[in-house]
Amino acid sequence: MDFPILLLIILLFLVIWYYSSCRKSDKLPPGPNPFPIVGNIFQLNGIIHESLSNLSQIYGPLMSLKLGKKTIIVVSSAEVAKELLQKNDLKFSSIGVPNAAQALEHHMYSAVWLPVEKQWQNLRKLCKEQMFSSERLNASEVLRQEKVQQLCKFVQECCINCERVDIG
């Protein structure tokens, strides 16, 4: 007699938990309803970019997915991405550092993972003015053309010798 009551309580708890996790915040973009615990992982079967493309045709160019405990926002349109990154860059720039970047302490030496503060703004300004300015890019044009020619020659030699092309 105790087992059916316990089973009913567990089932009721799972149903309540499922429906409470399906309710999305008003601030999140639309997206498919997640399954309990695993979220939307089963909707990303096969080739992931094709699955995301199919989902974006249903939910639009900006959608939210739940992968386990993590909620992610997927942007599948260049116009929407440009708007997000230009107008709301501070909201999206404070993302956590992934474990892969922390493994060899790459996050400590990269401008990508710096928190948004004065140092990050100074580095971004320095990159824009010194590294990626049109004068600097024009000055290195000869070197870039030489490297492209070397790559083309390498690929051609690999094709003649019927070898794999290891561009990495």
Side-chain angles (χ1 to χ4, degrees), residues 92-153:
F92 292 104
S93 60
S94 298
I95 328 169
V97 180
N99 292 338
Q102 291 179 358
L104 297 172
E105 297 183 351
H106 289 294
H107 68 290
M108 297 174 69
Y109 307 107
S110 173
V112 175
W113 307 115
L114 281 176
V116 179
E117 53 189 39
K118 199 67 174 165
Q119 184 183 9
W120 179 78
Q121 291 173 346
N122 288 339
L123 274 175
R124 189 172 78 168
K125 183 178 176 184
L126 181 73
C127 287
K128 183 180 80 172
E129 293 175 357
Q130 298 295 323
M131 294 174 61
F132 301 118
S133 66
S134 58
E135 296 87 25
R136 294 286 180 156
L137 291 175
N138 289 339
S140 66
E141 183 178 6
V142 175
L143 178 65
R144 285 183 282 128
Q145 285 179 348
E146 183 181 314
K147 291 298 178 183
V148 168
Q149 287 174 352
Q150 287 177 359
L151 177 63
C152 290
K153 184 179 176 185

Side-chain angles (χ1 to χ4, degrees), residues 9-135:
I9 290 172
I10 291 174
L11 184 62
L12 183 65
F13 174 74
L14 286 174
V15 168
I16 291 171
W17 180 73
Y18 174 72
Y19 283 111
S20 68
S21 70
C22 285
R23 258 187 308 162
K24 294 188 174 203
S25 170
D26 294 335
K27 295 182 179 183
L28 287 178
N33 287 333
F35 292 110
I37 300 173
V38 295
N40 300 107
I41 290 177
F42 293 125
Q43 291 166 327
L44 299 177
N45 53 5
I47 301 174
I48 294 178
H49 69 275
E50 288 179 359
S51 301
L52 290 174
S53 175
N54 294 336
L55 286 172
S56 72
Q57 291 177 359
I58 298 169
Y59 297 103
L62 183 67
M63 65 180 161
S64 62
L65 295 173
K66 196 153 178 77
L67 301 178
K69 290 183 176 182
K70 295 278 187 182
T71 301
I72 63 168
I73 306 298
V74 179
V75 181
S76 60
S77 163
E79 295 83 26
V80 176
K82 184 176 180 180
E83 181 182 340
L84 279 177
L85 295 174
Q86 284 184 344
K87 295 181 181 175
N88 301 310
D89 60 339
L90 290 178
K91 292 178 186 174
F92 292 104
S93 60
S94 298
I95 328 169
V97 180
N99 292 338
Q102 291 179 358
L104 297 172
E105 297 183 351
H106 289 294
H107 68 290
M108 297 174 69
Y109 307 107
S110 173
V112 175
W113 307 115
L114 281 176
V116 179
E117 53 189 39
K118 199 67 174 165
Q119 184 183 9
W120 179 78
Q121 291 173 346
N122 288 339
L123 274 175
R124 189 172 78 168
K125 183 178 176 184
L126 181 73
C127 287
K128 183 180 80 172
E129 293 175 357
Q130 298 295 323
M131 294 174 61
F132 301 118
S133 66
S134 58
E135 296 87 25

